[in-house]
Amino acid sequence: MKNVALHNLGCKVNAYEMDFIQQNLLKKGYNVVPFDEYADIYIVNTCTVTNIADRKSRQMLHRCKQLNPKAVVVALGCYVQTDSKGVIGDPDIDIAIGNNNKSKAVEIIEEYLAGETAKKVDCIIDINDVKNPCPYESMSIEKTIEHSRAYIKIQDGCNQFCTYCIIPYARGRVRSRRQEEILEEVRTLSSNGYKEVVLTGIHIGSYGMDFKDGSDLMSLLEEIDKVPGIERVRISSLEPGTMTKEFIERLKNLKKICQHFHLSLQSGCDSVLKRMNRKYKTADFTASVENLRKAFDRPAITTDVIAGFPGETEAEFEETADFIRKIGFYEIHLFPYSRRHGTVADKMEGQLTRKEKTDRVKKLSEIEREMTRAYEESFIGEKVSVLFEEPREIKGQSYMIGHTDRYLTVALKSDEDLKNIIKEVKLSGFLADGIMAGEEA
Ligand code: SF4
């Protein structure tokens, strides 16, 4: 059987789609080999979120023919979608498959290998055709390749059009996955031993807006909460528009929901949020966090922030820094603003220099470090449940590493294989930066 090498770039949705392709390849008997090895087929699942992501996608695609000049090179996904001409014209790429066609990737490759298709295969649809909107592309996984928790895709596309983001043009408009199909996948994952599922998508707050039967994100969460065997449900990312008082009232009744809420902020300054075309103000964000803190015991609030958005003045940046301190996040994914051609923000006046942006990221990461430590310290001496994931050697000793439902990383000294077991431990302090020490409870 042929050897296939896979490389995934970008987000958890891309990773889910690649897991699906890998699952299909394995079922058909292909050997999956590491990407830097000699293979007959190379598949690169590309990303286009920034100019750098485009460059990385091209680099990975061009590496394939260097590893085996006779290999079949398959380009998939977002970069293919936004630079279709470049990909189709690239002599190093044999098959180009855009978004909403990934579920057919293995069949397309096999037709190509059998000589049933043209020399160059182009499977790129117009994902932005509003007159003929594409349906949700059905895929389902039974196992995940690398994680002990399973990421489940529940939705695709985005209608928000933030000024810095190209994703709506690469992924198209919102389309949600049928609730029954998601529940079926959750049941399968549960019967395969998974205890935690993470709901993911491009803009999961929009889940269900394209349905006419009234099913929405909350009704989906309420159904997943009933699936036997699943003990934790995590939501990958939401915004204040979804995290309303009413939503939180129902959220707190769910037995399995993790007390870890990722609320995307991007900026803590209203004028910058407006230029970003984000659909909330800092006051809405504060209200969501306050309501979550009333409903849950010290929930972990995490977020994303972009530093150095075009035109961000020193005063606007300081507003963001103050807002971050005021909220008290557990963790922040900090990004220097990265230009992406084709977006509104790329053409804005007042682009900051690389140094200005990285200096701002540095300042925010110092604030973040203190907040993270303070949050973690507040749990020392308490008993917590940990889902163990992998063994790790730390300072010459064997530990099992896992996460609490608030996503604290915990290490427990153990020679036993506790992988995929949820166990109560007592937190006694820190073992290393970002790793808390657990003791048998
Ligand atoms: S919400 Fe904004 S940042 Fe997120 S995918 Fe949609 S357009 Fe991009």
Side-chain angles (χ1 to χ4, degrees):
M1 233 333 163
K2 292 195 181 299
N3 286 345
V4 191
L6 311 171
H7 188 78
N8 190 60
L9 291 155
C11 62
K12 294 288 183 214
V13 174
N14 248 18
Y16 174 92
E17 293 162 347
M18 198 58 146
D19 276 352
F20 173 80
I21 291 169
Q22 178 159 342
Q23 177 178 285
N24 279 359
L25 288 165
L26 292 171
K27 274 187 187 165
K28 291 194 169 226
Y30 288 87
N31 295 321
V32 175
V33 299
F35 192 75
D36 50 5
E37 283 185 13
Y38 182 93
D40 305 295
I41 304 162
Y42 290 90
I43 305 178
V44 180
N45 200 12
T46 62
C47 175
T48 194
V49 71
T50 58
N51 290 345
I52 298 165
D54 278 358
R55 203 179 318 134
K56 262 196 202 157
S57 297
R58 284 192 296 269
Q59 275 168 0
M60 295 316 290
L61 285 161
H62 290 150
R63 192 174 295 174
C64 306
K65 293 274 189 204
Q66 289 162 10
L67 290 160
N68 174 9
K70 293 209 175 98
V72 174
V73 178
V74 186
L76 289 179
C78 292
Y79 169 64
V80 177
Q81 202 66 48
T82 54
D83 186 17
S84 52
K85 269 196 199 136
V87 171
I88 293 164
D90 190 326
D92 283 353
I93 298 168
D94 301 295
I95 303 178
I97 303 175
N99 285 325
N100 248 54
N101 267 331
K102 288 184 188 176
S103 63
K104 293 181 267 180
V106 179
E107 287 72 19
I108 295 168
I109 294 166
E110 292 197 326
E111 281 169 22
Y112 178 88
L113 291 172
E116 289 165 13
T117 52
K119 248 186 161 277
K120 180 104 180 187
V121 181
D122 151 21
C123 297
I124 308 170
I125 57 162
D126 178 3
I127 206 127
N128 292 298
D129 183 352
V130 275
K131 283 197 202 112
N132 298 298
C134 46
Y136 181 83
E137 186 187 23
S138 214
M139 293 182 207
S140 187
I141 53 162
E142 291 150 23
K143 283 188 183 147
T144 59
I145 309 301
E146 286 170 34
H147 317 281
S148 65
R149 63 179 51 79
Y151 287 82
I152 296 184
K153 181 179 164 188
I154 64 164
Q155 168 290 330
D156 207 336
C158 180
N159 299 359
Q160 301 292 305
F161 295 96
C162 300
T163 54
Y164 52 82
C165 184
I166 197 74
I167 296 307
Y169 304 98
R171 287 261 174 194
R173 301 298 86 75
V174 169
R175 44 212 190 276
S176 309
R177 186 176 177 193
R178 306 295 325 168
Q179 202 178 92
E180 199 34 58
E181 208 185 292
I182 299 170
L183 289 170
E184 198 48 52
E185 185 171 49
V186 175
R187 287 184 208 110
T188 304
L189 289 162
S190 168
S191 62
N192 286 336
Y194 288 88
K195 298 212 167 70
E196 180 176 323
V197 291
V198 186
L199 305 190
T200 186
I202 300 301
H203 189 253
I204 63 175
S206 298
Y207 177 81
M209 65 175 281
D210 49 332
F211 289 157
K212 298 200 169 52
D213 63 1
S215 57
D216 57 10
L217 182 61
M218 182 46 73
S219 62
L220 173 67
L221 286 165
E222 287 170 344
E223 288 307 313
I224 296 177
D225 205 53
K226 297 177 197 155
V227 176
I230 295 297
E231 296 188 33
R232 288 178 175 184
V233 181
R234 207 178 288 278
I235 311 170
S236 64
S237 178
L238 285 178
E239 284 160 20
T242 310
M243 208 48 103
T244 59
K245 209 169 174 183
E246 299 69 39
F247 187 87
I248 295 169
E249 272 307 303
R250 285 169 73 183
L251 198 63
K252 74 176 188 202
N253 294 327
L254 302 178
K255 293 188 295 292
K256 299 171 182 175
I257 195 78
C258 288
Q259 301 189 70
H260 169 206
F261 303 103
H262 188 88
L263 282 184
S264 187
L265 175 66
Q266 308 304 359
S267 171
C269 167
D270 285 335
S271 47
V272 177
L273 285 175
K274 192 158 183 242
R275 294 206 295 280
M276 288 177 163
N277 195 30
R278 301 291 287 176
K279 312 289 189 299
Y280 52 84
K281 293 198 166 144
T282 48
D284 306 316
F285 196 95
T286 306
S288 293
V289 173
E290 282 174 357
N291 288 327
L292 281 168
R293 287 187 169 143
K294 273 185 214 146
F296 295 92
D297 170 27
R298 290 167 294 165
I301 311 287
T302 57
T303 198
D304 309 300
V305 171
I306 298 172
F309 188 73
E312 185 186 69
T313 62
E314 197 58 48
E316 286 175 326
F317 170 71
E318 286 306 330
E319 247 185 77
T320 290
D322 288 345
F323 187 76
I324 284 170
R325 278 191 208 97
K326 190 181 103 190
I327 292 289
F329 291 100
Y330 170 37
E331 267 178 1
I332 308 176
H333 300 160
L334 285 164
F335 304 94
Y337 166 72
S338 188
R339 293 178 82 155
R340 175 59 173 85
H341 60 85
T343 60
V344 175
D346 184 44
K347 296 186 196 80
M348 284 181 180
E349 304 268 296
Q351 301 285 336
L352 277 76
T353 63
R354 184 184 298 188
K355 182 168 181 335
E356 284 168 323
K357 291 187 275 191
T358 48
D359 283 352
R360 288 182 184 187
V361 166
K362 225 168 125 200
K363 279 188 199 159
L364 296 182
S365 64
E366 278 158 22
I367 302 170
E368 185 212 8
R369 205 169 310 128
E370 282 167 28
M371 292 188 303
T372 302
R373 188 78 176 189
Y375 182 75
E376 289 171 341
E377 275 173 355
S378 76
F379 292 95
I380 293 177
E382 294 189 22
K383 282 186 195 164
V384 290
S385 286
V386 179
L387 169 59
F388 287 99
E389 290 149 40
E390 54 170 10
R392 200 182 297 171
E393 189 103 338
I394 303 173
K395 297 174 190 159
Q397 306 250 27
S398 304
Y399 287 88
M400 282 299 300
I401 301 278
H403 287 90
T404 69
D405 81 322
R406 295 183 180 87
Y407 219 64
L408 303 177
T409 308
V410 178
L412 177 71
K413 210 180 269 180
S414 175
D415 292 321
E416 247 182 282
D417 184 8
L418 299 175
K419 193 163 187 257
N420 215 24
I421 289 175
I422 295 183
K423 194 176 159 73
E424 275 229 325
V425 301
K426 192 174 167 198
L427 295 176
S428 58
F430 292 93
L431 194 66
D433 200 24
I435 303 181
M436 300 196 73
E439 291 171 353
E440 295 284 348

